[in-house]
Amino acid sequence: MTTEVEETVMVRGECAPGFEDVARAFEQNFRDGTQTGAGVSVYLRGREVVSLWGGFADEATGRPWEQDTLAVLASPTKSVAAGALFVLIERGLVELDAPVARYWPEFAAAGKEAVTVRMLLAQRSGVVALDKSPITYEKLRTGRPVVEALAAARPEWVPGTAHGYHAMTFGHMVSEVVRRVTGRSVGRFFADEIAGPLGLECFIGLPEDRLPRLATMVPSKAEVLMDGGASDQVTELLAALGDPASLTFRATIGSMSFDADTGDDTKRVRLENASYDGVANAASLARYFAALVGEVDGVRLAGPGLVEEIRRVHSAGRCRTMLMDTSWGLGMMLPDGPLYPASAGPLGSFGLAGATGSFACAVPEQQLAFAYVPSGGSHVIDRLDPRARRVAEAVHRSAAAAG
């Protein structure tokens, strides 16, 4: 049974009894002026118990945010791409401890022959920088130049000995493994084998007919990103992002090259960039996470054994690229750290946050999953966006009370 949410602060939708706190937290983001438009969805034991949306999909034109509004996910795209590998692992077509080169022989070049699928999913491959052959719109459009650059790339550390966020490379490596095994790109495989059976509006490569429902993204402002952060940490990260010789720069800004036209979201989201440019609405992203930890309308994507591997700590400590403490399972970030605090997801949960302010998380024991998808860029650079954190904390309080 659901109860209608009071239409205040431009918020519409429904939430089940006991989850009203989520509606209050979501509304508060509008009241304090930090949220232009957004959606939030919560699944509990395979059933959607919260579906809320509000604000503007495009504030300049007054286009409202609707239940089916889509938004760019940024980094949570990686968690979506990882789902394709999870399905192949469950089907016995990919082995976690097999070398990536078993499926993609060219990848063995330049000292990568020992990189395993597990290392790749745990951010431990060392293949994090493409600054010698940056990703461009044309390379994304054709696909092969990015794959060839990754095959030729040399790891930035001995694979398996450290971890660093594969900000630009992760999705492309996952996609090529999927393509070599199935003959389909990760976007096509996800559409056929995951989005189709689950009825998801979640895309790696947005169909053109969905473009009218895409929210206009509001980019982050530098002064907002730095406001209130842990000053030493922010200073170190920003200094590294401004230093072309640093691994932080080389693995992020230096690994992509887009001009004002080809950097446009509406052009890039139509291509398959499985590292960053995925698109979804909140309900679909939450439903995807729910199907990882439980059955949703007869579909379950990962069995209990694989879920244990996904949420087991594979990498922890200082990230070589982000210069802060992070913890990773397989294809997912784990708590507790500044980018994924325990208040936003208890120990044993897994999820991923993005530079767009988006955040999705799943708690296996509770078969709980939720997604927060806004249109505005993150308000911080060194920790989880406060808007996402506020909503996540309300979700976990409500779910705990629900038992």
Side-chain angles (χ1 to χ4, degrees):
M1 180 179 178
T2 58
T3 55
E4 193 75 20
V5 175
E6 183 183 351
E7 287 198 35
T8 59
V9 203
M10 300 184 292
V11 169
R12 293 175 288 163
E14 299 178 323
C15 62
F19 284 84
E20 295 85 358
D21 195 22
V22 180
R24 287 189 287 270
F26 187 62
E27 290 175 348
Q28 187 59 43
N29 285 343
F30 287 103
R31 289 196 180 97
D32 65 16
T34 59
Q35 183 168 265
T36 302
V40 60
S41 173
V42 180
Y43 271 74
L44 182 64
R45 294 185 285 275
R47 184 174 66 91
E48 191 175 32
V49 293
V50 174
S51 177
L52 300 171
W53 63 94
F56 295 101
D58 188 323
E59 191 172 25
T61 65
R63 176 162 61 99
W65 193 288
E66 304 289 356
Q67 187 175 16
D68 63 355
T69 293
L70 300 164
V72 180
L73 299 177
S75 289
T77 305
K78 298 176 180 68
S79 68
V80 173
L85 269 187
F86 297 155
V87 169
L88 293 177
I89 290 165
E90 285 286 20
R91 294 178 181 176
L93 297 174
V94 171
E95 295 181 15
L96 273 172
D97 293 310
V100 171
R102 175 188 294 181
Y103 312 104
W104 176 10
E106 298 89 337
F107 188 77
K112 302 191 296 298
E113 64 278 355
V115 175
T116 64
V117 175
R118 187 186 298 273
M119 290 178 195
L120 168 57
L121 286 169
Q123 312 286 316
R124 301 181 71 81
S125 78
V127 185
V128 296
L130 287 178
D131 55 310
K132 291 182 174 61
S133 182
I135 298 168
T136 65
Y137 177 83
E138 280 303 308
K139 288 179 181 179
L140 281 177
R141 189 180 63 80
T142 59
R144 303 316 302 163
V146 178
V147 170
E148 291 164 3
L150 287 166
R154 185 170 299 279
E156 299 295 331
W157 59 81
V158 176
T161 63
H163 79 283
Y165 185 41
H166 295 38
M168 300 299 160
T169 60
F170 180 89
H172 298 290
M173 290 191 284
V174 167
S175 185
E176 187 61 10
V177 173
V178 172
R179 191 184 73 82
R180 295 296 178 111
V181 173
T182 70
R184 288 174 280 178
S185 67
V186 71
R188 185 70 264 155
F189 184 86
F190 186 90
D192 293 343
E193 306 291 341
I194 298 176
L198 283 166
L200 305 182
E201 288 270 271
C202 185
F203 307 95
I204 301 174
L206 184 67
E208 191 155 355
D209 64 357
R210 303 309 204 283
L211 276 173
R213 291 199 275 119
L214 183 67
T216 300
M217 299 308 296
V218 181
S220 303
K221 296 180 180 179
E223 62 272 20
V224 174
L225 289 175
M226 292 183 285
D227 184 40
S231 57
D232 291 344
Q233 189 164 274
V234 171
T235 299
E236 181 182 16
L237 180 56
L238 290 176
L241 286 171
D243 178 6
S246 74
L247 183 57
T248 302
F249 180 95
R250 293 175 50 233
T252 54
I253 299 168
S255 288
M256 56 183 176
S257 179
F258 297 111
D259 59 31
D261 179 43
T262 58
D264 177 46
D265 285 335
T266 60
K267 291 194 69 171
R268 282 180 29 212
V269 295
R270 284 177 276 179
L271 307 179
E272 286 199 21
N273 179 358
S275 288
Y276 200 79
D277 286 322
V279 170
N281 54 42
S284 292
L285 188 58
R287 187 174 174 86
Y288 162 68
F289 269 78
L292 288 173
V293 296
E295 192 172 289
V296 179
D297 291 339
V299 178
R300 178 159 186 173
L301 301 175
L306 181 54
V307 169
E308 287 304 311
E309 288 293 325
I310 293 170
R311 71 175 183 168
R312 180 169 68 83
V313 177
H314 282 72
S315 302
R318 184 173 170 86
C319 172
R320 289 282 186 95
T321 54
M322 295 302 292
L323 307 179
M324 62 183 73
D325 286 346
T326 60
S327 182
W328 288 88
L330 296 180
M332 303 283 182
M333 189 172 277
L334 309 178
D336 181 25
L339 297 176
Y340 186 174
S343 65
L347 295 178
S349 67
F350 57 81
L352 205 55
T356 56
S358 58
F359 180 56
C361 167
V363 186
E365 283 84 1
Q366 296 172 294
Q367 291 186 42
L368 172 72
F370 81 92
Y372 168 76
V373 178
S375 62
S378 181
H379 288 200
V380 291
I381 196 171
D382 64 327
R383 61 197 189 280
L384 182 64
D385 187 287
R387 301 167 300 172
R389 182 169 182 166
R390 174 183 283 157
V391 172
E393 289 172 348
V395 169
H396 294 302
R397 285 194 302 267
S398 300

